[in-house]
Amino acid sequence: MVNRAPHVAVVGGGWAGLAAAVAACQRGWRVTLLEASPHWGGRARRVPSRIGPLDNGQHILIGAYHATLTLLATLGVPLTQALQRVPMALTYPDGGGLRVPGWTSTLPRVAHAVGLGAALLVARGWTWRDQRAALARLARWQLAGWRCAPTATVAELCAGLPRRVVADWIEPLAVAALNTPLQQASGAVWLRVLDDALHGPAPAPYAPSDLLLPRADLGTLLPDAATRWLAERGATLRLRARVTRLQAVTPAASPSDGGNPGTPAWHLAVAHGTPVQADAVVLATPAWASTQLLQALAADPDCPAGLARRGVAWADRARALQHIPIATVWLAPPPGWAWRWPTPMLALRHHPQQAPAQFVFARAADHPAAGLRLAAVVSAPDPAWHGRAADLAAAVQRQVQQALALPDTQVLATVVEQRATFACTPGLARPWAMLGPTLVAAGDHVEGPYPATLEGAVRSGLHAVDALGAALTPGFWPRP
Ligand SMILES: Cc1cc2nc3c(=O)[nH]c(=O)nc-3n(C[C@H](O)[C@H](O)[C@H](O)COP(=O)(O)OP(=O)(O)OC[C@H]3O[C@@H](n4cnc5c(N)ncnc54)[C@H](O)[C@@H]3O)c2cc1C
């Protein structure tokens, strides 16, 4: 029997595309997932190295990543094995900084701010004045309903706070969540993330503020599980399949439709590969790639005028996004050296040139004999490092050795993602999801409550499929 279920092409195999493909499959639609590169996962992926698989960048999830954690559970990923749960902590190698006391994770969700309050009270190296100022600001934000003027930056929200409070609390959290310098970062998004981390829904057994660190590489965490799940359900999965052109195939006007042309279907050209015909498209490519595809679509004389206009307007918005790099330097400590801190993540005292990394993570290797690896993260590196990855790695190596009192380390790999995230600035107008009834954009850049994060990407993928649901109703099929 011919399968009359709608056929959806998902373009882009990052976390947004994978989430969309899974959601489309759950609705019983036929799915083709097309990924340009030789690997799944996009900006959160496994990279091969001479010492075994590494990640392109250390990723932190939090308990409030409800959509991501639910997706992983749906795919059968054993969450407690796959993710190391660490109560929210922002401590430095010297023991300074904040740690949410473990007992607060047993508090009901509404009382979670108590945990952060307790962390602020026990922050080592803080004076009574620092603690009072931090607690008063937290209370002020809570009273304001975690809202502020859309034009405010994080630096403006924190005006008047003691320097130590900004350095130990605000800056590391804002850098980790928004990857944007405080003077440019959106205060409204920062408060939303903080609110979510304190009060957001978190699937059991997590508290929303828990830090969840992948134990294995990122490919194992989502892409392997998702592609296995999709293949078992008959989805077509194509790597090295770069979509070069989207073409709207509009059915001729029919008298029964009052002379209006029907909903467009799609023809997708694939570089060096078989083209794809689909009833609907989820465009889960990064902002810059979607921009190119939509501009070409709009320039096609056969593209319906309304769709062309929306495509051009979408591309204008997407082009206005500025992107910020993240560099990750992987280091191997000498054999026998042991990590002696209670949490696997440490914040680092940093300086844009001399000590550029903000965080260092301890990661166990795949097999015990390979020992420990350290991932040092440089969020938004100073532009002076541009094109100087080896010098950056050497500076990070010196910084980490000094901060952790390490006699020696070996640089295993340096990965610089030039367009890791978009700059999350105040009042940013992000491109929207719906381009037409059968064409929807997804990705961390698409309008949504979250900054450029895994959760933002996953939510947008799920939302894209929900949005297509209206067009792909059962009555829509079979196409006349
Ligand atoms: C170093 C680093 C550290 C990060 N740390 C964190 C963190 O700690 N926590 C967190 O939540 N987030 C973090 N992020 C952000 C997170 O990785 C991204 O927000 C998320 O992965 C974006 O997913 P996406 O699916 O929207 O886009 P992408 O991952 O960019 O996926 C898009 C995919 O489309 C493919 N593609 C492009 N053009 C085409 C085409 N024409 N045809 C077919 N396929 C195409 C690309 O190859 C890519 O695989 C980090 C990112 C980086 C780079």
Side-chain angles (χ1 to χ4, degrees), residues 46 112 141 145 163 193 209 212 221 254 296 371 408 422 433 462 477:
R46 165 172 57 220
H112 245 88
W141 290 339
R163 215 144 54 141
V193 171
S209 64
L212 305 173
L221 185 60
S254 78
D408 187 24
F422 59 82
L462 303 178
W477 308 100

Side-chain angles (χ1 to χ4, degrees), residues 58-134:
Q58 173 67 46
H59 279 63
I60 312 171
L61 291 77
I62 59 171
Y65 278 15
H66 194 271
T68 307
L69 295 171
T70 306
L71 174 66
L72 291 170
T74 302
L75 301 173
V77 175
L79 292 182
T80 49
Q81 279 170 40
L83 296 166
Q84 181 177 6
R85 178 184 181 189
V86 181
M88 172 66 78
L90 285 169
T91 47
Y92 291 83
D94 61 9
L98 319 180
R99 182 173 316 123
V100 175
W103 55 264
T104 60
S105 65
T106 57
L107 292 174
R109 187 169 298 144
V110 286
H112 245 88
V114 174
L116 184 54
L120 297 176
L121 281 173
V122 299
R124 245 182 71 183
W126 284 24
T127 62
W128 168 235
R129 195 180 153 261
D130 294 337
Q131 289 167 341
R132 208 178 42 188

Side-chain angles (χ1 to χ4, degrees), residues 362-385:
R363 292 283 299 260
D366 286 348
H367 51 97
L372 196 69
R373 288 163 194 171
L374 304 177
V377 176
V378 187
S379 178
D382 189 277
W385 293 113

Side-chain angles (χ1 to χ4, degrees), residues 377-401:
V377 176
V378 187
S379 178
D382 189 277
W385 293 113
H386 188 72
R388 297 172 51 219
D391 295 338
L392 177 65
V396 169
Q397 184 183 29
R398 278 193 301 275
Q399 177 191 7
V400 170
Q401 287 183 186

Side-chain angles (χ1 to χ4, degrees), residues 219-241:
T220 307
L221 185 60
L222 177 75
D224 291 357
T227 48
R228 204 167 39 239
W229 188 96
L230 287 163
E232 281 165 12
R233 283 154 186 82
T236 304
L237 306 171
R238 288 173 57 181
L239 287 171
R240 297 186 175 84

